[in-house]
Amino acid sequence: MLRVLAVDDEKPLLEELLYLLRSDPRVHSAEGASDATEALRRVTRALESGPEGPDRIDVVFLDIHMAGLTGLDIARLLAGFARPPLIVFVTAHEGFAVQAFDLKAVDYVLKPVRPERLAEAVRRACAQLGGPAGAPVRSQAPAAAGARPAPQPPLSPHRAVPEVTVADRAADQIAVELGGVTRFVAIADIAYVEAQGDYARLHTDGGSHLVRIPLSTLEQRWAARGFVRIHRRHLVALGRIDELRLDAGTTSVRVGAAELQVSRRHARELRDLLMRHATG
């Protein structure tokens, strides 16, 4: 069975996560840490005790945004150990999914955490550790002869198809949160993106969606998909530009019903890109 460590600097969220983990029959024990220092101390002690030691940690469930070191920082430090524990990120921010999976995370669970979604993350961890995904792994002692396996939670009739995770959708879609509900927006449907402080507003034909991802991050991530920076506030899908307008030394583009200003530093590059796009 799994021995896990949950790390979150918000006490109510940590307690809720621990409650859900301890309710899973595949989890032998779940301990909590409220900051990076405590988490690293516990993991170091676990590694020193060995893979079968009493302080063993199989999986670390990590929040990302924390005071001091972030969850990503902790994961990078753990990656330097010879036998690091598995990592599952548990966060309210979809924007770090690519970095998380670059760090070999087992899963990326969005807050608010749903029990069935967390159970899927536990299943993935079990599978990666070499045990049956739906059954306990790394038992502390062999089962007695004739003993029946521990009962597993019944599958909900509403979950006939496995839930698609952020990792599966990351290539073509972006997750947005609205009222505690996660929706997935196809990147191909996004016409332009508008910076709003630390957030970005995604504009589609059907409306707009706010995500906590800096515009600069989306610019780098979506450059290969034809998104270009035209202003410090705007990122535009090249194929969605309907008109390029030059008026008294100023440049703007029309994207659907929206007219967006193009900064001088981006104007020439945009004109060149549009010419290549039109002739290519």
Side-chain angles (χ1 to χ4, degrees):
M1 297 174 70
L2 296 179
R3 293 177 180 266
V4 307
L5 175 68
V7 187
D8 198 315
D9 62 353
E10 296 186 57
K11 186 176 180 180
L13 298 180
L14 178 59
E15 290 177 348
E16 179 185 8
L17 180 57
L18 287 171
Y19 172 78
L20 293 173
L21 287 168
R22 289 165 180 165
S23 300
D24 193 305
R26 295 163 295 186
V27 175
H28 176 272
S29 64
E31 302 299 328
S34 58
D35 57 47
T37 301
E38 184 182 359
L40 290 172
R41 179 177 58 80
R42 286 174 178 259
V43 172
T44 300
R45 186 175 64 195
L47 293 172
E48 289 174 349
S49 73
E52 299 301 328
D55 297 319
R56 186 190 80 229
I57 295 175
D58 300 309
V59 191
V60 179
F61 288 77
L62 267 177
D63 185 23
I64 288 183
H65 277 296
M66 295 186 292
L69 293 177
T70 69
L72 294 170
D73 293 330
I74 295 173
R76 292 188 186 99
L77 289 172
L78 295 183
F81 289 101
R83 298 187 62 177
L86 301 180
I87 299 294
V88 172
F89 286 102
V90 183
T91 176
H93 309 287
E94 184 275 342
F96 298 97
V98 172
Q99 296 178 59
F101 289 110
D102 283 345
L103 290 168
K104 312 301 182 186
V106 173
D107 209 343
Y108 192 94
V109 180
L110 289 175
K111 297 177 181 178
V113 178
R114 289 173 288 132
E116 65 272 19
R117 183 64 187 85
L118 189 64
E120 169 64 13
V122 172
R123 184 199 68 79
R124 289 177 177 229
C126 289
Q128 191 154 327
L129 287 169
V137 299
R138 290 188 174 182
S139 298
Q140 293 299 301
R148 299 177 62 184
Q152 298 303 310
L155 292 176
S156 165
H158 301 293
R159 297 189 65 225
V161 179
E163 180 182 353
V164 180
T165 68
V166 173
D168 302 320
R169 295 177 180 262
D172 299 308
Q173 297 177 302
I174 183 170
V176 299
E177 293 281 340
L178 182 61
V181 177
T182 303
R183 301 179 186 276
F184 291 89
V185 177
I187 296 172
D189 291 340
I190 299 171
Y192 68 98
V193 186
E194 178 184 5
Q196 294 189 350
D198 292 333
Y199 293 77
R201 184 168 293 279
L202 315 175
H203 292 267
T204 68
D205 294 336
S208 66
H209 309 275
L210 194 65
V211 294
R212 190 169 182 175
I213 310 174
L215 196 66
S216 57
T217 298
L218 293 178
E219 179 184 8
Q220 295 175 3
R221 190 180 301 173
W222 292 351
R225 294 178 173 273
F227 281 81
V228 296
R229 190 73 168 259
I230 65 167
H231 191 274
R232 62 184 178 84
R233 290 191 58 199
H234 292 117
L235 185 68
V236 177
L238 201 64
R240 300 295 291 269
I241 295 177
D242 299 312
E243 292 181 359
L244 175 68
R245 299 176 179 177
L246 305 174
D247 183 19
T250 63
T251 305
S252 63
V253 293
R254 184 173 63 81
V255 182
E259 184 171 349
L260 308 175
Q261 204 72 25
V262 181
S263 67
R264 289 185 178 181
R265 65 187 293 256
H266 292 105
R268 174 173 292 183
E269 180 184 3
L270 178 63
R271 288 197 297 269
D272 291 344
L273 286 170
L274 286 172
M275 287 295 294
R276 290 201 295 269
H277 184 75
T279 58

